[in-house]
Amino acid sequence: MSGVHEECGVVGIYAPQGEDIVRFLYYGLLSLQHRGQEACGIAVTDTGRDELDVNCIKDLGLVSEVFSKETLAALNGNLGIGHVRYSTTGESVRENTQPLVLNYCKGKLSLAHNGNIVNTDELREELIRTGAIFHTTMDSELIAFHIAKNRVHSKSVEEAVYKTAKKLKGAYGLVIMSPKKLIAVRDPFGIRPLCLGRRGKTYIVASESCALNSMGAEFIRDIEPGEIVTITEEGITSNYKLKQETKAHCVFEYIYFARLDSVIDGIKVYDARIKAGELLYKRHPVDADIVTGVPESGIAAAKGFAKASGIPFDLAFHKNSYIGRTFIKPSQSERSIGVQMKLSVLEEVVKDKRVVLVDDSIVRGTTMENLVKMLKKAGAKEVHIRISSPPFMYPCYYGVDVPSNKELIATRKSAEKINETIGGDTLEYLSVEDLQETAKGLMICTACFTGEYKAGQKSNDNEG
Ligand code: 5GP
Ligand code: MG
């Protein structure tokens, strides 16, 4: 059975003055919806009350489906966390939704996690050794249980979090809520993004800066790789003991995953994508009449390609934005239909034209194969495919949803063969070196293109 690989988004808010923050959590989750469309949830508490309790609502579905006016009205508090979740496997069950809320020696502990832990076997074995009766294979749950266990012998919850984080291998952006604290942790490699913001006296942590904008909050800074931030009534403190030299920021955030208006680790996602398009033209020029991008994530790179080449940019597709990402459809035939339902060609734009078609990535090849067919059917004379990332060849163990390399077309076929399959006139990819240039001096993780897993690898590929 293949495991759960997920892409997620997290948000945490603490208003020490006592302001109700539930609607801000909701806005934050709405703007992180692109990071996960399978499930979502909010857990809140009111630190002003004598009897501290946590209210949690979570379910399968989009943020707008799970939370109605009524459900939101039923939640209130000044400290809370939220989560959006995505998973590719069939295990999209309610039990896997987050935030997780569990009882521990100090009351209730809530946790939301973005990323994937690779040493889950080790973590589970340690819990079993210490006498815990344990069934879960879910990495986030293992983290929560370790924190709860460590809390017993620690002087604070942040110390228990630190002791736990020391043992984790892999990717984690965590927001944790103890009865009166908000804690945020970013793994020492900085694989997944996490940033800090403020709205008046209210502190916010979120996967991406776009979430801060949505609440009218100001961006303070990125949480540093290996930093543990603790926010209490007294203010904000940091523990940097996990920091290390080597970083491995997920470059796929810039290529595809993050929202176009986010800024991660000092680099604007928009700039990185424009740059990728410019470099694509520089390395792989072509004569054509128009440049177009696959909505939404291919558009900025297409603009970059158009800018560098002088070939006019045009919109060749209309996107129906009311349909989820095609990846969600489980079977291959449903996936193809998904592409056609989501995108339709503007015939007048492409008829008799030589078209440059830019997308951020080819994973299984479904999207490209369908789009090339659609373009040719609409009368395009030539279709030159330019991909703003290198061939996607290796699975990600750090939270991107590609389940196994069997499904990755580039592990089975050369670029030439892929081009034959998808029916393009030419097909060119961005190189790993050029990709590094889009991320400037940042130390990036390129494991999905190179197979170099800087932050550790799962010993057993069959487990999530
Ligand atoms: P393919 O159709 O080749 O399997 O997938 C390529 C398309 O999926 C591209 O248009 C790209 O924007 C999108 N894509 C790439 N990576 C991911 C991912 O990790 N998750 C989701 N949902 N879509 C992705
Ligand atoms: Mg796409």
Side-chain angles (χ1 to χ4, degrees):
M1 192 169 57
S2 87
V4 184
H5 284 242
E6 60 219 48
E7 301 165 330
C8 300
V10 295
V11 58
I13 308 182
Y14 188 16
Q17 313 287 90
E19 188 194 2
D20 185 22
I21 49 87
V22 171
R23 70 186 181 288
F24 294 118
L25 282 173
Y26 175 70
Y27 301 151
L29 289 185
L30 279 176
S31 58
L32 294 174
Q33 185 79 81
H34 61 284
R35 299 187 68 86
Q37 296 99 50
E38 184 201 77
C40 61
I42 287 177
V44 285
T45 189
D46 183 345
T47 63
R49 246 187 270 153
D50 288 341
E51 205 161 307
L52 294 174
D53 200 8
V54 172
N55 280 320
C56 180
I57 293 180
K58 53 181 182 174
D59 209 339
L60 299 175
L62 298 172
V63 177
S64 61
E65 292 165 349
V66 172
F67 294 98
S68 64
K69 243 199 206 142
E70 289 72 33
T71 46
L72 285 171
L75 288 174
N76 47 62
N78 64 326
L79 168 60
I81 61 175
H83 190 254
V84 287
R85 181 174 193 277
Y86 180 87
S87 98
T88 41
T89 60
E91 292 148 81
S92 56
V93 289
R94 223 170 246 124
E95 291 84 83
N96 286 348
T97 56
Q98 294 191 29
L100 301 169
V101 182
L102 60 100
N103 289 311
Y104 77 139
C105 60
K106 296 289 168 181
K108 278 185 175 157
L109 182 79
S110 315
L111 175 144
H113 172 210
N114 172 210
N116 249 40
I117 300 299
V118 295
N119 64 330
T120 45
D121 289 350
E122 238 170 85
L123 295 172
R124 188 170 43 247
E125 275 156 26
E126 189 184 328
L127 283 174
I128 291 168
R129 259 203 316 277
T130 56
I133 299 168
F134 221 72
H135 306 292
T136 192
T137 56
M138 193 191 178
D139 55 354
S140 314
E141 220 168 344
L142 287 164
I143 300 171
F145 277 92
H146 270 269
I147 297 170
K149 175 180 83 74
N150 287 331
R151 180 65 185 94
V152 181
H153 306 290
S154 305
K155 60 179 191 307
S156 65
V157 63
E158 54 270 38
E159 190 185 310
V161 168
Y162 166 66
K163 285 179 184 164
T164 303
K166 256 195 338 197
K167 292 192 179 139
L168 303 177
K169 289 205 180 82
Y172 48 99
L174 295 167
V175 290
I176 298 156
M177 179 171 84
S178 81
K180 290 193 170 197
K181 285 175 185 165
L182 175 63
I183 298 168
V185 195
R186 193 170 177 202
D187 73 70
F189 288 95
I191 301 173
R192 306 258 75 92
L194 198 61
C195 65
L196 181 66
R198 188 170 48 204
R199 192 181 185 282
K201 297 214 155 67
T202 299
Y203 279 105
I204 299 139
V205 289
S207 291
E208 287 182 45
S209 59
C210 66
L212 302 174
N213 298 339
S214 76
M215 338 173 175
E218 61 175 306
F219 174 86
I220 302 177
R221 62 180 176 84
D222 291 286
I223 291 178
E224 286 181 44
E227 179 179 1
I228 301 173
V229 175
T230 304
I231 303 164
T232 66
E233 232 171 25
E234 275 87 59
I236 179 166
T237 54
S238 284
N239 167 345
Y240 294 104
K241 280 190 260 183
L242 292 169
K243 267 187 83 168
Q244 61 179 34
E245 278 298 304
T246 312
K247 314 287 189 303
H249 300 283
C250 171
V251 76
F252 214 63
E253 295 278 351
Y254 298 103
I255 296 168
Y256 162 80
F257 201 27
R259 220 169 81 163
L260 198 54
D261 57 338
S262 285
V263 187
I264 303 172
D265 295 313
I267 294 172
K268 291 181 176 148
V269 173
Y270 177 79
D271 287 351
R273 290 185 190 166
I274 293 281
K275 182 82 192 170
E278 289 174 353
L279 289 169
L280 260 180
Y281 175 72
K282 216 165 129 190
R283 308 293 182 226
H284 308 290
V286 60
D287 271 336
D289 304 306
I290 65 158
V291 180
T292 197
V294 182
E296 293 292 330
S297 44
I299 299 283
K303 292 271 296 190
F305 193 99
K307 197 172 137 208
S309 64
I311 304 168
F313 173 87
D314 211 337
L315 293 169
F317 302 100
H318 169 76
K319 182 184 175 187
N320 182 339
S321 336
Y322 303 98
I323 297 170
R325 289 184 172 177
T326 39
F327 262 58
I328 292 171
K329 310 293 177 303
S331 78
Q332 193 58 32
S333 67
E334 278 176 69
R335 243 178 232 122
S336 299
I337 293 167
V339 175
Q340 288 154 44
M341 285 193 21
K342 199 163 77 173
L343 296 171
S344 59
V345 183
L346 298 162
E347 230 179 271
E348 59 279 22
V349 174
V350 302
K351 194 167 187 305
D352 299 325
K353 300 273 172 60
R354 295 168 300 166
V355 179
V356 178
L357 176 59
V358 182
D359 201 2
D360 58 273
S361 56
I362 293 179
V363 181
R364 296 176 176 90
T366 319
T367 305
M368 264 307 155
E369 191 176 345
N370 280 281
L371 294 185
V372 173
K373 261 190 214 140
M374 284 157 70
L375 287 174
K376 294 245 159 144
K377 196 171 156 209
K381 266 202 309 215
E382 294 168 15
V383 179
H384 300 278
I385 301 159
R386 294 294 180 272
I387 303 297
S388 61
S389 63
F392 201 129
M393 308 228 286
Y394 302 92
C396 177
Y397 299 113
Y398 310 132
V400 176
D401 73 350
V402 178
S404 80
N405 41 6
K406 274 185 265 133
E407 293 186 60
L408 299 170
I409 193 167
T411 55
R412 287 179 283 116
K413 293 181 180 178
S414 64
E416 210 183 335
K417 283 271 179 279
I418 295 172
N419 192 35
E420 260 170 47
T421 309
I422 60 189
D425 287 84
T426 62
L427 163 64
E428 301 289 352
Y429 289 90
L430 198 70
S431 69
V432 176
E433 293 71 39
D434 285 344
L435 189 62
Q436 178 66 64
E437 206 175 320
T438 68
K440 300 182 186 159
L442 218 59
M443 274 191 256
I444 53 176
C445 175
T446 55
C448 52
F449 312 119
T450 59
E452 288 162 33
Y453 296 94
K454 278 199 245 178
Q457 199 169 338
K458 260 212 132 83
S459 48
N460 175 2
D461 197 4
N462 292 322
E463 195 199 288

